[in-house]
Amino acid sequence: RTGRLRIDLRRCQRRLATFADVRYVRYRPVGAARGDGDPRWDLLDACARLGRSDSPSENTSPFGGAFFRQVHQQAAKTGSLDLSLLTLGGRAIAFAYAYHHQGSVCVLQLGSTPEFADETASPVLLADMLKDSFQRGDSTVDLGAARLPAARPWLTHMVKCYRCRHYRIGAA
């Protein structure tokens, strides 16, 4: 990464350290087959609080829906869940919600508290997450779904993505 990114990252880390005890939490259960399929609803609820917007038109957080909660539970059960939190004095201030499979991590959503909307917490979270991912042996971290400016400096390349939709004949 560029020297500017490293300087900015150290500045963000120093700024966060002045507030309180900063901790990085990574939750990646190995799955129910190995006795570890706990969905950790407390961590999901922390992500939901951070991902929620006060404006109904901007509230795109999927965390509250019943379908999403079922998918979350199944991901924990199968060992595909990958959840990262950055806490400040025990309070969650940033998150990355992802799924992983065979060394690939796909980040679905990133978020942080409004107090750290100046992009202080997100770069620190991403740096810790990437470092931890590669220590675990992950080969790819897809930040494509994470539409945060903090994710851009970490990208090594962009891949064009296409979407195909199918509608039943006669569907209104």
Side-chain angles (χ1 to χ4, degrees):
R1 306 294 73 194
T2 66
R4 181 81 242 161
L5 176 65
R6 291 191 303 272
I7 290 168
D8 288 344
L9 180 60
R10 283 191 294 271
R11 180 185 47 80
C12 291
Q13 289 169 330
R14 279 193 309 272
R15 186 181 303 168
L16 286 177
T18 63
F19 291 105
D21 183 33
V22 179
R23 294 202 188 278
Y24 172 71
V25 177
R26 182 93 178 247
Y27 182 63
R28 193 188 261 193
V30 293
R34 293 195 228 162
D36 184 22
D38 183 11
R40 291 290 308 267
W41 297 112
D42 58 324
L43 297 179
L44 180 68
D45 292 339
C47 291
R49 282 191 298 278
L50 293 176
R52 191 175 300 127
S53 169
D54 292 333
S55 167
S57 64
E58 293 179 19
N59 196 350
T60 58
S61 176
F63 296 117
F67 174 75
F68 182 81
R69 291 182 76 81
Q70 289 174 351
V71 171
H72 174 80
Q73 186 172 19
Q74 193 63 31
K77 192 185 221 181
T78 60
S80 302
L81 179 63
D82 189 330
L83 200 149
S84 296
L85 281 176
L86 191 65
T87 64
L88 188 64
R91 182 178 69 105
I93 60 168
F95 76 93
Y97 188 87
Y99 296 124
H100 76 93
H101 181 68
Q102 295 180 349
S104 290
V105 177
C106 180
V107 179
L108 298 179
Q109 190 165 6
L110 290 168
S112 63
T113 60
E115 304 113 85
F116 298 100
D118 64 346
E119 299 301 325
T120 302
S122 296
V124 174
L125 172 80
L126 283 170
D128 289 344
M129 185 182 84
L130 291 170
K131 180 180 175 183
D132 185 65
S133 283
F134 293 114
Q135 285 174 345
R136 291 173 183 255
D138 294 336
S139 58
T140 305
V141 177
D142 179 0
L143 298 172
R147 295 178 189 92
L148 259 180
R152 282 198 191 101
W154 297 102
L155 301 178
T156 56
H157 65 279
M158 300 283 280
V159 177
K160 214 173 233 191
C161 181
Y162 297 95
R163 183 176 294 174
C164 181
R165 294 186 183 184
H166 170 73
Y167 297 98
R168 266 189 357 220
I169 294 176

